[in-house]
Amino acid sequence: MSERKVALITGATRGIGKEVAIELAKNGFDISANYRSKGPEMDALKEELEGYGAKVVFVQGDVSNFEDTEKMVKETIETLGKIDVLVNNAGITKDGLIMRMKKEDFESVININLVGTFNVTRNVIPYMIKQKSGRIINVSSVVGVTGNAGQTNYSASKAGIIGFTKSLAKEVASRNILVNAIAPGFIATSMTEVLSDSVKEGINAQIPLKRMGTANEVARVVKFLSSDDSSYITGQVINIDGGMVM
Ligand code: NAP
């Protein structure tokens, strides 16, 4: 049997991150699952991932804190030996119109979504360069491309992730490290659960496929970008949005 690969996924205990962990575990990866706050679902997730034959380690840390990310990467290497794939998934929203948006709400979204992506990547890259291979998949959003009223902080962070992805892809291509971003549209997770039914209906009406996506539909694209099937793709932003943005 071929050696298992190792994936580090941030924000892996629920939503899209959790589905990514499951999909990659099913496909031959050992999993380092980052979490910020311990939730009751973690024991069941560990059992599920191990059921697919994966070695699993949970690494605690706030991605906006550089020392935490240094620690979580070190723990992953110590327990699982390497990192083949990094999925920068952890993210938050703090929506509001600019007139009412507090400086702290702007900063915390940038610090977690964008600076967090830098922090984890900065700590993983030396290992990938040394092993002369790696995949980095950054979770952006369609609003990082289109903008969205009430989300200046969030869309700035997600647009920043796209620029980060393209620059890094150019920087490390010669080291056999492929860097891509995904841009989900509206995906049914706790992030979108807070929207009212009428808002959800309005959104669905604008989506050619007329529904929200599932976290698993996003995870399967991450699986593709983590696999040998995507060996000639780097610096791209792949929309997963039911046709919402074309
Ligand atoms: P979610 O259900 O709210 O999950 C977010 C995850 O990120 C949680 O596990 C959370 O952990 C973690 N997280 C938040 N802040 C963190 C921090 N500072 N350090 C470490 N972990 C942190 O959201 P989701 O919908 O799965 O979103 C996942 C990613 O997809 C995000 O980057 C989001 O922006 C992006 N996205 C989502 C949608 C959508 O429609 N759902 C669309 C486009 C893009 P805690 O529970 O400990 O806070």
Side-chain angles (χ1 to χ4, degrees), residues 14 16 36-37 62-63 89 140 154 158 185 187 189-190 192:
R14 60 190 162 88
I16 292 170
R36 182 171 53 169
S37 39
D62 177 341
V63 295
N89 164 78
S140 179
Y154 184 73
K158 295 299 186 179
I187 309 300
T189 68
S190 53
T192 47

Side-chain angles (χ1 to χ4, degrees), residues 4-77:
R4 289 184 77 91
K5 291 189 169 179
V6 176
L8 167 60
I9 304 150
T10 64
T13 54
R14 60 190 162 88
I16 292 170
K18 176 181 171 186
E19 284 300 316
V20 168
I22 293 168
E23 206 54 45
L24 293 185
K26 274 186 197 170
N27 283 277
F29 282 82
D30 290 334
I31 303 294
S32 174
N34 156 250
Y35 67 98
R36 182 171 53 169
S37 39
K38 195 173 183 341
E41 60 287 281
M42 279 169 55
D43 291 340
L45 179 61
K46 185 166 195 287
E47 207 172 295
E48 180 168 1
L49 298 175
E50 286 174 347
Y52 296 119
K55 275 195 221 132
V56 183
V57 58
F58 283 100
V59 290
Q60 197 278 331
D62 177 341
V63 295
S64 66
N65 179 313
F66 191 80
E67 286 71 37
D68 279 12
T69 62
E70 215 171 0
K71 194 166 62 77
M72 72 174 78
V73 169
K74 204 163 159 252
E75 276 170 27
T76 304
I77 299 284

Side-chain angles (χ1 to χ4, degrees), residues 92-131:
I92 61 161
T93 51
K94 281 199 179 165
D95 297 352
L97 298 173
I98 190 90
M99 283 294 287
R100 283 191 224 120
M101 189 176 286
K102 294 195 196 93
K103 184 169 175 282
E104 301 79 66
D105 290 346
F106 192 88
E107 286 175 350
S108 62
V109 169
I110 297 288
N111 283 340
I112 292 176
N113 298 5
L114 180 57
V115 181
T117 297
F118 165 78
N119 287 344
V120 188
T121 305
R122 175 64 185 81
N123 282 296
V124 167
I125 269 293
Y127 294 101
M128 288 186 171
I129 287 180
K130 206 165 160 213
Q131 77 193 3

